[in-house]
Amino acid sequence: MNDRQIHLGLLTHPTGAHPASWLKSSAPRDAATNIDYYRRIAATAEQGLFDLFFIADTPAARTEKLHIHCRNPEFMNRFEPITLLSALAGSTQHIGLGATASTSFYEPYNIARLFASLDHISHGRAGWNVVTSANDYAARNYGLDKLPPHDDRYVRAREFYKVVESLWDTWEDDAFVQDKEQCINFDPDKFHITDHSGKYFKVYGGLNIRRTPQGRPVIIQAGSSEVGKQFAAETAEVVFASDPTLPQARKFYADLKGRLPQFGRSADSLKILAGLSVVVGESQAEAEDKYQELQRMIHPDVGRMRLGADLEADLTSLPLDEPVPVEMIPQKSNFHQAYFNQIAGMIREQKLTLRQLYSSYERGKVTLCGTAAQVTDHMMEWMESGAADGFMLSFHVLPDDLHNFVGMVVPEMQRRGVYRKAYSGATLREHLGLARPVNRHVDAVTA
Ligand SMILES: Cc1cc2nc3c(=O)[nH]c(=O)nc-3n(C[C@H](O)[C@H](O)[C@H](O)COP(=O)(O)O)c2cc1C
């Protein structure tokens, strides 16, 4: 058995992450709001012994260019993630359950309470993806005209997180003594009030739910800007990375892990999962064909719009078969800096036509087409060369690509001794090899 085991997360979209997935998928037509379908996806991921089942989210439908969005319904119809995961907690037993919730729109008390509840309901399998959000549609649902500037959102996120973390330490683990003879339900000395007054939040209170099975839910993050990385180094336990090449991924990995000592943390206390989409086939050619067929199904309006959204520029009137002019690149980004830089780099260096650009741009991941052996080789190369601790799999087409992965790649990884043959732990922390945090109010020596 190899001592470096591959960790896997599943980034779940109803019919898959690809903009044409809904045209190709074998999922039921109502997949996006079909809880039985989601239960089946989670069961397959659990059968494949994944560490984490994960839901990304933006709390907004799109309100413009609906004649284009109607060809790509990704943002228009979906479950609220924490509610969905609470339901899935009852139909799964082992897999971790991670959801996105934005620090730009929630209040810390809500988040502390929601994720504490999910951690209890799932017996210690909850994870919170802390995001600052990256589009103005969401901002408009919460009293703003547009998102605050990028770095200000992170200032709020940091304060937000500190309050949530403090609320999660309201109760010591053994506070609820339940002594019926003495008529003492809980020990008042083991209840700790959060008294916070900062730039964005004022909170005086305690969480009305006991400390959670994992001590606190696992903290996930995916920012890759300078402030995003600094925030991750301070707080995150899992980071979703989105570098498209091995050298870039190694650089990000070394950079982020290198920041941990500043915060008194060890390299092992943070797991980096690289974004990956896998199309597996009996031969590489078969897998490539499947992928290219899907790529051809992207409607040009959708391809253009998705690229434009990440470049923060309107590309809708540009010709499809001519290079994108360098002047279209905005001076700076306020949304996803990594995606923005990737597209800007492609425009400057590769001189591709608009159609070639949207067909080859991958949003925060690498697409790998190959046999089970080739896919495993790739993952092991990234693991062994210090680029990842595992992978965030975002399949182009669900449930189809997931089934193929679990049926073909999982046995290959197991055969090579780089992947578990059964869950050995009970909580998400245990799957990932993360320590259970000590309550700040308890002396570490006696904890
Ligand atoms: C795998 C992955 C999943 C993400 N999920 C979400 C999400 O669900 N909601 C969201 O608003 N941002 C999501 N993001 C975006 C990041 O969390 C981050 O907010 C964004 O990249 C902007 O931060 P940055 O400029 O520091 O990179 C995701 C990014 C990646 C790579």
Side-chain angles (χ1 to χ4, degrees):
M1 182 84 118
N2 190 317
D3 60 351
R4 280 212 79 198
Q5 296 285 296
I6 297 176
H7 294 286
L8 292 183
L10 176 68
L11 172 50
T12 314
H13 300 82
T15 58
H18 194 276
S21 66
W22 70 279
L23 300 168
K24 187 82 171 32
S25 159
S26 64
R29 278 172 179 260
D30 66 349
T33 51
N34 182 330
I35 186 62
D36 297 326
Y37 169 70
Y38 268 98
R39 286 195 182 109
R40 291 197 293 275
I41 296 275
T44 307
E46 192 164 73
Q47 189 194 329
L49 305 170
F50 281 46
D51 297 67
L52 175 69
F53 179 96
F54 173 74
I55 305 286
D57 191 56
T58 296
R62 301 302 195 244
T63 51
E64 291 150 9
K65 301 198 174 83
L66 293 184
H67 61 292
I68 304 177
H69 283 290
C70 70
R71 303 184 193 281
N72 174 32
E74 186 181 355
F75 302 106
M76 306 304 283
N77 181 31
R78 56 191 308 143
F79 282 124
E80 188 289 311
I82 306 168
T83 316
L84 170 60
L85 294 187
S86 301
L88 295 179
S91 68
T92 53
Q93 286 186 307
H94 306 284
I95 194 165
L97 301 167
T100 296
S102 176
T103 54
S104 297
F105 308 124
Y106 268 104
E107 284 285 322
Y109 198 92
N110 299 126
I111 288 294
R113 198 172 180 217
L114 284 163
F115 279 94
S117 297
L118 182 62
D119 207 37
H120 279 291
I121 292 168
S122 63
H123 303 295
R125 294 185 283 137
W128 170 32
N129 181 30
V130 186
V131 301
T132 59
S133 287
N135 70 69
D136 292 332
Y137 297 103
R140 289 181 212 136
N141 290 334
Y142 295 88
L144 303 169
D145 296 326
K146 60 191 185 76
L147 276 183
H150 181 272
D151 290 8
D152 291 0
R153 299 202 299 276
Y154 273 108
V155 173
R156 178 181 159 112
R158 191 171 177 282
E159 186 183 334
F160 191 115
Y161 175 76
K162 291 286 160 201
V163 178
V164 172
E165 195 187 33
S166 167
L167 287 167
W168 280 335
D169 280 346
T170 298
W171 297 96
E172 293 179 30
D173 283 310
D174 54 354
F176 286 87
V177 292
Q178 308 276 357
D179 186 338
K180 293 187 183 178
E181 273 174 29
Q182 305 288 327
C183 189
I184 294 176
N185 186 286
F186 66 85
D187 179 348
D189 290 341
K190 298 191 173 183
F191 173 79
H192 303 280
I193 288 174
T194 292
D195 185 359
H196 172 89
S197 184
K199 180 172 178 201
Y200 292 97
F201 304 107
K202 187 163 159 58
V203 176
Y204 179 89
L207 205 59
N208 55 352
I209 182 166
R210 66 181 293 171
R211 191 167 157 84
T212 83
Q214 296 190 98
R216 59 172 185 256
V218 171
I219 299 302
I220 306 170
Q221 234 255 348
S224 54
S225 60
E226 198 49 37
V227 274
K229 282 187 285 198
Q230 204 59 14
F231 182 49
E234 187 177 356
T235 61
E237 299 171 291
V238 172
V239 163
F240 302 151
S242 55
D243 302 282
T245 66
L246 183 58
Q248 284 167 296
R250 289 184 62 196
K251 191 164 166 241
F252 179 82
Y253 186 96
D255 176 1
L256 191 50
K257 295 252 176 172
R259 292 172 193 242
L260 296 175
Q262 287 173 42
F263 300 100
R265 302 182 63 193
S266 70
D268 255 10
S269 65
L270 167 65
K271 308 292 173 187
I272 299 180
L273 304 185
L276 182 64
S277 194
V278 169
V279 185
V280 62
E282 292 299 339
S283 67
Q284 186 172 8
E286 184 201 312
E288 288 278 0
D289 285 351
K290 263 197 272 187
Y291 180 52
Q292 289 311 327
E293 183 195 335
L294 195 61
Q295 288 293 82
R296 284 191 295 274
M297 292 169 82
I298 301 177
H299 193 285
D301 290 350
V302 173
R304 249 198 297 232
M305 181 185 67
R306 292 179 89 235
L307 197 70
D310 284 349
L311 185 64
E312 300 174 42
D314 186 355
L315 308 178
T316 45
S317 56
L318 289 189
L320 284 170
D321 295 308
E322 290 175 26
V324 177
V326 175
E327 305 77 67
M328 292 299 297
I329 304 171
Q331 291 296 314
K332 69 193 247 301
S333 138
N334 190 35
F335 296 162
H336 299 275
Q337 290 192 352
Y339 303 161
F340 174 89
N341 291 337
Q342 190 184 339
I343 302 172
M346 287 168 88
I347 294 174
R348 287 204 179 92
E349 287 148 32
Q350 300 179 19
K351 311 274 179 232
L352 303 176
T353 67
L354 179 53
R355 195 192 303 270
Q356 289 166 332
L357 201 58
Y358 76 65
S359 304
S360 53
Y361 166 62
E362 291 276 359
R363 194 173 203 260
K365 61 182 182 319
V366 174
T367 287
L368 191 62
C369 302
T371 61
Q374 287 171 320
V375 171
T376 309
D377 286 346
H378 173 99
M379 291 197 285
M380 286 178 66
E381 187 189 3
W382 278 51
M383 297 276 296
E384 283 164 5
S385 59
D389 298 311
F391 299 88
M392 189 59 183
L393 290 164
S394 136
F395 291 105
H396 286 307
V397 183
L398 285 178
D400 314 66
D401 289 345
L402 172 65
H403 279 294
N404 293 337
F405 184 90
V406 171
M408 296 162 85
V409 183
V410 167
E412 178 65 17
M413 294 190 300
Q414 289 170 328
R415 197 181 60 71
R416 297 199 204 177
V418 292
Y419 194 61
R420 61 169 69 91
K421 292 191 168 147
Y423 287 105
S424 56
T427 66
L428 176 57
R429 286 187 180 281
E430 287 165 0
H431 301 338
L432 292 165
L434 294 168
R436 186 178 189 275
V438 175
N439 189 314
R440 73 192 60 193
H441 304 290
V442 177
D443 181 354
V445 179
T446 57

